[in-house]
Amino acid sequence: MHKVIFDTDPGIDDAMALLFLHRHPQIDLIGITTVFGNAPIGFTTRNAQFLAQEWGISAPVAKGAGVTFDPSRPEGHWPTFIHGENGLGDIDIPETVDRPLDPRPAYQFIIDTVRAQPGEVTLVAVGRMTNLALALKADPDFAALVKEVIVMGGAFDVNGNTSPAAEANIHGDPEAADLVFTAPWRVTVVGLDVTLKTVMTSGYLAEMAVTGGKAVQLLSDISQFYIDFYKHRVGDGMVVHDSCACVYLVAPELFKTRSGPIRVVCGGIADGQTIQKPDGRRFPPGDWDGHPSQLVCTDIQADSVLEVIRAAIVEGRAA
């Protein structure tokens, strides 16, 4: 069993990833931590509470960061044209959700949970890296106790999606991401290089909803706004960014990876760009030296990944 804390900013593709983590038989979802990103922190936290309540997820929810790691960084806009005004495709959601939050801030919840189960907890982070960076700042030594970190973010051999250089999760808090990628723990980055190849068609999702019952119908309802956004980008369907990162946890053989230290550009026209120095390549001394080698996903077996998602969400089984 993979013990997972899911660090998330729900978010439509976050919702699919959450249901996947909840239903996959080899995953024990032990915590949900929220961060700002796809919507303000109040919305993303309420959305996490709402989904956990609707889907019967018992894992505690801890509210996380609502501003960037460097508070002087100016706040960007909310991507309402992608995720709707409320972050979940503008479906009807109660103003308040009667599901208690863990009293700790997300970064402290992460530290405490990892320290209670050293070497056993994987962090799957699919939003801005702010909570992870705050945890590293508060307790640098806890990184050695984390089993693995899987990040949805970055763009290495392709353009970004918020600028030619940068992907949204990293662009939203570059200083946090740079700290996470250079910390002494094992990180795998599942970025646009592979997620953009993984498109779930509207028909595929509709069939899942028919056989998956009420929970998957809710997911389908949430996803329609997202599918509409992607019509002019991928045609029929949606890119399942966050679920790809979750699939890597249970089926890494469906991905190709490259190893080397990663840095993030902080500032300027390439703000948020992720750059890897591949292992084995020689360069003059520079800012990539002395940092741990991390894995970047460079290719994906997209059809097989979609089947892993479907099998878990609809049938509660490993594909």
Side-chain angles (χ1 to χ4, degrees), residues 6 23 44 92 100 144 163 175 202 221-222 270:
F6 186 44
R23 289 197 160 179
T44 60
D92 288 333
S163 80
E175 287 82 7
S202 59
D221 293 345
I222 291 168

Side-chain angles (χ1 to χ4, degrees), residues 170-186:
I170 308 303
H171 185 263
D173 198 342
E175 287 82 7
D178 190 58
L179 181 57
V180 168
F181 293 153
T182 56
W185 52 14
R186 185 174 68 170

Side-chain angles (χ1 to χ4, degrees), residues 60-298:
V61 178
K63 182 179 179 181
V67 296
T68 50
F69 184 63
D70 176 358
S72 68
R73 176 172 277 274
E75 189 173 284
H77 66 276
W78 307 113
T80 55
F81 61 101
I82 304 174
H83 295 274
E85 294 291 338
N86 68 4
L88 287 182
D90 289 338
I91 66 163
D92 288 333
I93 301 173
E95 291 258 340
T96 57
V97 178
D98 186 22
R99 189 187 194 279
L101 291 171
D102 190 277
R104 294 164 287 184
Y107 79 88
Q108 192 64 52
F109 174 87
I110 292 169
I111 292 168
D112 293 347
T113 306
V114 167
R115 284 201 168 276
Q117 303 172 76
E120 297 182 29
V121 179
T122 296
L123 308 178
V124 177
V126 299
R128 301 175 188 196
M129 304 292 111
T130 318
N131 290 332
L132 274 61
L134 289 170
L136 289 167
K137 181 181 179 181
D139 186 359
D141 294 337
F142 107 101
L145 306 178
V146 174
K147 183 178 180 182
E148 184 178 11
V149 181
I150 302 173
V151 167
M152 189 280 122
F156 293 86
D157 301 333
V158 299
N159 286 126
N161 57 3
T162 57
S163 80
E167 178 276 333
N169 286 341
I170 308 303
H171 185 263
D173 198 342
E175 287 82 7
D178 190 58
L179 181 57
V180 168
F181 293 153
T182 56
W185 52 14
R186 185 174 68 170
V187 180
T188 300
V189 186
V190 183
L192 299 184
D193 302 72
V194 295
T195 64
L196 289 175
K197 300 176 182 177
T198 314
V199 178
M200 181 178 287
T201 66
S202 59
Y204 196 99
L205 179 60
E207 288 182 13
M208 288 172 55
V210 167
T211 53
K214 181 181 176 183
V216 188
Q217 185 59 57
L218 174 60
L219 177 64
S220 178
D221 293 345
I222 291 168
S223 300
Q224 296 311 306
F225 194 98
Y226 204 50
I227 289 171
D228 189 61
F229 164 76
Y230 271 110
K231 276 181 182 174
H232 302 299
R233 291 159 178 83
V234 301
D236 174 42
M238 60 180 179
V239 178
V240 289
H241 298 286
D242 293 348
S243 293
C244 288
C246 299
V247 171
Y248 181 85
L249 174 67
V250 294
E253 69 277 4
L254 300 180
F255 299 76
K256 285 185 180 178
T257 59
R258 181 177 68 215
S259 179
I262 301 167
R263 296 302 306 270
V264 180
V265 177
C266 298
I269 61 171
D271 195 31
Q273 184 177 16
T274 48
I275 305 174
Q276 183 184 47
K277 174 187 174 184
D279 287 340
R281 286 288 307 275
R282 293 190 176 275
F283 296 90
D287 292 330
W288 283 259
D289 298 337
H291 296 295
S293 289
Q294 312 292 15
L295 292 180
V296 167
C297 292
T298 58

Side-chain angles (χ1 to χ4, degrees), residues 21-49:
L21 293 171
H22 172 54
R23 289 197 160 179
H24 196 286
Q26 295 167 353
I27 295 172
D28 180 12
L29 182 61
I30 61 172
I32 302 165
T33 52
T34 64
V35 68
F36 74 114
N38 289 326
I41 187 63
F43 283 11
T44 60
T45 303
R46 182 195 61 181
N47 292 348
Q49 293 171 285

